[in-house]
Amino acid sequence: MKIFLVGYMGCGKSTKAKQLAHRLEYPVVDLDAEIVKKSGKTIAEFFETFGEQGFRDYESEILKTYNYPENCVVATGGGLPCFFDNMDWMNDHGETIYLEMEPAQLVSRLHNRHKRPLIKDLDDEQLLEFVKVKLEERNPFYRKAGIIVNAFDLDVEKLEKEVKKLQG
Ligand code: S3P
């Protein structure tokens, strides 16, 4: 089973993907890390060189061409589900879980802003407004996920239980 974790920046996709993969004894795939590995650029450098559109094209290509193991947990970039047919593609090729979180909670977790080109120049107040607006835009895509879980204080046992339900 391929399990794609989706959700806004800061909701904990990479950490939860690692923890869940560990419990299920599946390998973990981090698509942002794959972009960095394949392109030889950090995400920030990629945005600077090719712009957001170039990044979206490349992340969709990586999503669809990566050689996934039969069973794996995949951490996706926060914007990935919201471009092209990426969300439908993930639903067709595996199971999707939306790690849902409130804007204020996301903001409190968004450290290392300089690594995230979309928010690197925003102060705290601007960031909260930005996250509120973006989340509203993105939620219709995220909510196509097969499972939606509240990601605040989420423990990995709960996530694992949800996956076990899918496995029957
Ligand atoms: C983005 C989220 C980032 C990364 C890029 C764009 C977004 O991933 O893909 O900076 O549009 O929300 P994380 O959600 O892992 O921070």
Side-chain angles (χ1 to χ4, degrees):
M1 178 187 284
K2 294 171 193 51
I3 302 162
F4 294 91
L5 300 189
V6 304
Y8 202 77
M9 284 182 270
C11 73
K13 297 171 299 260
S14 298
T15 308
K16 286 290 172 278
K18 276 187 212 142
Q19 293 173 345
L20 181 63
H22 183 72
R23 288 188 78 97
L24 296 170
E25 296 183 17
Y26 286 3
V28 65
V29 178
D30 189 312
L31 290 179
D32 270 351
E34 285 308 316
I35 290 173
V36 172
K37 209 192 304 176
K38 269 206 134 178
S39 69
K41 293 190 187 307
T42 64
I43 302 291
E45 287 165 352
F46 202 106
F47 266 71
E48 264 165 43
T49 313
F50 302 110
E52 180 169 0
Q53 194 52 52
F55 178 77
R56 298 305 172 194
D57 290 343
Y58 196 64
E59 80 173 342
S60 186
E61 187 188 320
I62 298 280
L63 168 73
K64 294 174 185 174
T65 58
Y66 187 82
N67 190 14
Y68 299 95
E70 166 109 22
N71 292 314
C72 56
V73 181
V74 185
T76 63
L80 179 138
C82 315
F83 290 86
F84 310 108
D85 61 345
N86 294 346
M87 191 67 202
D88 294 334
W89 189 94
M90 290 187 279
N91 278 327
D92 287 345
H93 290 81
E95 305 295 336
T96 51
I97 304 180
Y98 173 23
L99 304 185
E100 189 169 38
M101 224 183 244
E102 294 297 319
Q105 294 165 345
L106 290 165
V107 167
S108 72
R109 293 164 46 92
L110 280 169
H111 315 295
N112 285 333
R113 266 179 232 176
H114 64 281
K115 287 192 185 161
R116 293 173 151 122
L118 295 177
I119 57 171
K120 67 178 172 35
D121 299 322
L122 306 181
D123 65 28
D124 284 356
E125 208 177 305
Q126 290 168 323
L127 182 60
L128 181 60
E129 200 42 44
F130 180 86
V131 172
K132 280 183 184 164
V133 170
K134 277 283 165 197
L135 202 54
E136 193 120 316
E137 264 171 46
R138 289 181 173 187
N139 262 333
F141 296 93
Y142 294 150
R143 291 208 172 116
K144 287 183 173 183
I147 296 175
I148 300 177
V149 292
N150 183 343
F152 189 70
D153 264 353
L154 173 66
D155 58 47
V156 69
E157 286 85 358
K158 174 154 188 247
L159 208 48
E160 190 185 11
K161 268 189 204 142
E162 294 292 340
V163 171
K164 296 277 176 203
K165 280 190 217 158
L166 292 171
Q167 289 172 327

